[in-house]
Amino acid sequence: MTPLVYQNIQELITQAGHILLLTDERIDGDTMGSTMGLYHVLNELGKRVDVFSPKPLPDYLKFIPQVDVIRRDVEIFLQSTIDLVIISDCSDGEYIKKLLPTMAHKVPLIVFDHHATNPMYGTINLVEPTAASSADVAWRFVKSTGWKVTPEAAQCFLTGVYTDTNVFSTSNTTTDALEASTELIKLGAQPKTIVQHTMMNRSLSALRLWGLVFERLFYDSEFDAIATAITRQDLKNCQATDDDLKPISNFLNEMLEEKHEVVLVYHEKDDNSVKGSIRSRGRDVAKQAEQKFGGGGHKLAAGFKIPNSKLVEKDGKWVVEKVTTI
């Protein structure tokens, strides 16, 4: 099936004159790496390319080549010349449901993704649930076309591969991801730069926050997981941001003893919700997240969001409580 999908995507891109690239609303190295990798490739083809992101770019990802082209104003969708939309690493397409109808006319939507829960919402869906990242899904397509890949494009794709596998230390690492890495480095990607910016560059505020994360570890019987919790007040006290917390679930999953199969990080959000980030070494946590809170993700990496909620400590453990709204 993949060769035919590749052919259909290549035909749409070849025919297009003005392409709009979209990131996921959950900004991380994979959605940015795959999106900006495609940006550089399409730019080399002579296409007019715009990039839209619904959320600000975290500081740790600003090293990615030419991220200054990314726009956040929704007016970008009103351009009548756009004839193709491509979205990368977005598992559900929820946020674009309100934006695509505002366009001057309906255009094809290509989806590059690796989430098993993707409902195939695009016109053409290149979704590979066994892939380590959306970046290596997009990279394999680009490689099949023979299109020019600059060092900047290679750096972007490798950022996605590295960050979603934690530099090949996670269980979702595949031989395809390793091969992609080798190929991208040969094309000019700089792995040391990626590691320095995404994994080794922690601020004092982030380290203070991580200290609280470690201090609050407890056993969550509802999820049968080792869990921890961070409130909005914690972020303020540490002068930290949501971005400082993003890598912690992967870190705990890799560092804890093997007998701890699942790790769960609870995190209060500014919209009065509680977000849960789950990582597993074997259990299907995507199914568990979906059944309990309507969440989803991968079998070994999933999440959920509970609206109108807050975190409360009880006897050394943290629980989610609903907040009464007026």
Side-chain angles (χ1 to χ4, degrees):
M1 179 184 74
T2 300
L4 179 59
V5 173
Y6 281 0
Q7 180 182 338
N8 292 338
I9 293 175
Q10 186 172 356
E11 288 176 356
L12 280 179
I13 291 175
T14 301
Q15 295 165 6
H18 185 183
I19 301 172
L20 176 60
L21 300 179
L22 309 177
T23 72
D24 185 25
E25 60 183 333
R26 297 162 285 263
I27 306 299
D28 63 10
D30 193 19
T31 191
M32 293 307 308
S34 49
T35 301
M36 291 306 298
L38 289 169
Y39 168 81
H40 288 285
V41 171
L42 299 177
N43 202 41
E44 284 292 318
L45 287 176
K47 303 296 181 180
R48 179 182 174 187
V49 188
D50 282 321
V51 185
F52 173 80
S53 176
K55 298 289 179 63
L57 185 68
D59 287 341
Y60 77 95
L61 291 175
K62 290 182 179 177
F63 77 96
I64 294 176
Q66 283 189 254
V67 290
D68 56 317
V69 304
I70 298 173
R71 293 172 55 181
R72 295 194 54 228
D73 53 304
V74 295
E75 286 77 14
I76 196 172
F77 287 86
L78 303 180
Q79 299 175 92
S80 61
T81 52
I82 295 173
D83 48 11
L84 180 62
V85 178
I86 302 175
I87 191 166
S88 300
D89 199 44
C90 183
S91 62
D92 52 26
E94 283 299 315
Y95 90 87
I96 63 173
K97 289 181 179 179
K98 294 180 180 179
L99 296 174
L100 294 183
T102 68
M103 299 181 69
H105 49 87
K106 187 174 182 180
V107 302
L109 172 66
I110 296 172
V111 177
F112 289 99
D113 193 24
H114 71 134
H115 293 91
T117 54
N118 191 300
M120 305 296 182
Y121 57 89
T123 309
I124 300 180
N125 303 281
L126 185 51
V127 179
E128 299 179 12
T130 59
S133 67
S134 295
D136 70 278
V137 172
W139 159 244
R140 280 189 292 278
F141 160 71
V142 169
K143 183 175 68 170
S144 76
T145 65
W147 292 337
K148 181 179 179 180
V149 178
T150 63
E152 291 78 14
Q155 183 80 333
C156 295
F157 287 127
L158 188 62
T159 297
V161 176
Y162 265 30
T163 54
D164 251 29
T165 62
N166 201 24
V167 194
F168 312 126
S169 65
T170 58
S171 57
N172 67 319
T173 300
T174 63
T175 55
D176 284 338
L178 293 168
E179 289 174 2
S181 175
T182 300
E183 294 161 349
L184 293 166
I185 291 171
K186 287 180 178 179
L187 288 167
Q190 300 294 319
K192 182 178 179 180
T193 300
I194 298 170
V195 173
Q196 284 179 329
H197 283 275
T198 62
M199 299 170 190
M200 305 300 291
N201 189 21
R202 300 293 173 217
S203 66
L204 182 59
S205 298
L207 293 176
R208 287 182 179 134
L209 186 69
W210 282 37
L212 280 178
V213 168
F214 299 147
E215 181 182 336
R216 292 177 180 174
L217 289 170
F218 69 96
Y219 174 68
D220 186 314
S221 57
E222 182 179 5
F223 267 90
D224 186 21
I226 297 299
T228 188
I230 290 294
T231 68
R232 286 181 291 168
Q233 189 61 47
D234 293 329
L235 291 175
K236 292 178 182 178
N237 292 345
C238 294
Q239 297 182 319
T241 68
D242 287 352
D243 294 330
D244 293 322
L245 196 60
K246 284 183 178 179
I248 196 66
S249 54
N250 283 334
F251 180 84
L252 289 172
N253 192 44
E254 295 301 317
M255 294 301 292
L256 283 171
E257 299 171 288
E258 289 188 6
K259 65 180 180 180
H260 302 302
E261 187 179 29
V262 177
V263 167
L264 168 60
V265 177
Y266 290 107
H267 172 205
E268 283 184 349
K269 303 289 287 183
D270 288 335
D271 60 358
N272 294 317
S273 67
V274 171
K275 179 181 177 181
S277 179
I278 322 170
R279 297 294 181 270
S280 170
R281 291 170 174 161
R283 191 194 315 163
D284 188 345
V285 290
K287 184 176 181 180
Q288 191 175 11
E290 183 178 14
Q291 290 175 340
K292 287 183 177 293
F293 298 114
H298 305 291
K299 177 182 177 181
L300 304 181
F304 58 84
K305 188 175 183 180
I306 309 173
N308 302 317
S309 300
K310 64 179 180 179
L311 290 168
V312 178
E313 184 181 11
K314 292 185 177 180
D315 300 323
K317 298 184 178 182
W318 291 79
V319 297
V320 180
E321 287 190 356
K322 298 294 287 185
V323 176
T324 303
T325 56
I326 300 176

